[in-house]
Amino acid sequence: MADDGDRHRQSRLFTDEDGSFDADRARDEALPVEDGEVVDTDALADHQRYVEGRGVYDERNRVNDLTGTEWKYATKSVLAEGYPPDVQHDLRSEHGGQKPPRLCAELIGRFSKAGDTVLDPFAGVGGTLLGASFCEHEGTGLREAIGFERNDRWVDVYEAVLDRENEERRARGEPPLAPQDMRRGDCADLIEDVPDDSIDLLLTDVPYWNMDELEQTRNERRTRESKLGSFDDGDGDGDDLDNGPDGEQSTGGTKAEWLADMATKFDRFTDAVAPDGHVVVFIGDMYRDQSYEFLSADLARAIESTAPVTLAANLIWYDPTKDLHVYGYPFSFVPSMVHQNVLVFRLEDGDGD
């Protein structure tokens, strides 16, 4: 083990003209550097190891495969990034609510480990599945992914995207994306084939009112007592909404009915999630009739009222490239939505505090 004199000599040798530590110079000399300091690898605990270029990894980490430095930046509550329209965007954009696969890959990297299984019960055109495949080539390790989608058109789009993307990747000499398990059918039926506690991460973008034929046969298996009465005042609190985020189609049903349907489904979905797993849900708020619809808060309360989960975080995905529109000018301030909420739940019977 290096003595204090050696460590002092290292610090002295790698300083800039002002006497401050020069991390770039230290890295050039192949010294392990984390958070602007040389890491004394001999002093690491038995459960720690230094990962070249990434920092110190703690073997006790049950949430993900991130080092301490990576974890610090992954806990930022705002994801401020506009993902370019790649990955066969012309095909995927047919779906009004598709999410960038690389955004999904980033979230998968935060809330799962290499080799884990990810479930998306509202898979759409497969952003979550593509994200799980990208993890293999972007440093965090392949995940197995299962998607449910009842709209045959979106399943066909996912399969076409994968085929076309892989043709282009092979032409560039890049390894292909692994195909994932996209299952056609109603999520209430398909979830019956997923064993309890077999899913490490549930990542999904919930459908809005009747988007893509939202109304599905409800599955009452193991449904817990609901407290959803508070969402329905019986006086039109859930008027039909005209437009969802990103122009998603939204017609029919009250907000209370939609929340009750989502709560019932997530109650069943969580049976499949392992005790130390996470449930991560995209949900955009809405503005209608001069009123802000705080759907993220409403949905979080609805899910917590029936499913055995606790809301652990609300992340914000802010897209700085999103087009701005002039709403309400010059008479009323109406927000131009450039963000979506990402609700993060953990199971109540897990001990991952």
Side-chain angles (χ1 to χ4, degrees), residues 269-287:
F269 296 157
T270 52
D271 292 335
V273 180
D276 57 353
H278 287 81
V279 175
V280 179
V281 182
F282 283 101
I283 174 67
D285 297 326
M286 291 183 182
Y287 194 90

Side-chain angles (χ1 to χ4, degrees), residues 27 30-33 49-56 67:
R27 291 191 184 94
L31 290 178
V33 175
R49 58 184 171 88
Y50 180 75
V51 182
E52 185 68 34
R54 295 177 53 199
V56 176
T67 65

Side-chain angles (χ1 to χ4, degrees), residues 311-343:
L311 183 66
N314 179 33
L315 308 180
I316 302 297
W317 172 40
Y318 158 58
D319 184 355
T321 67
K322 194 173 181 62
D323 291 336
L324 295 176
H325 301 280
V326 180
Y327 296 123
Y329 179 85
F331 303 108
S332 178
F333 182 85
V334 178
S336 187
M337 300 291 195
V338 295
H339 78 280
Q340 289 222 350
N341 303 279
V342 185
L343 305 177

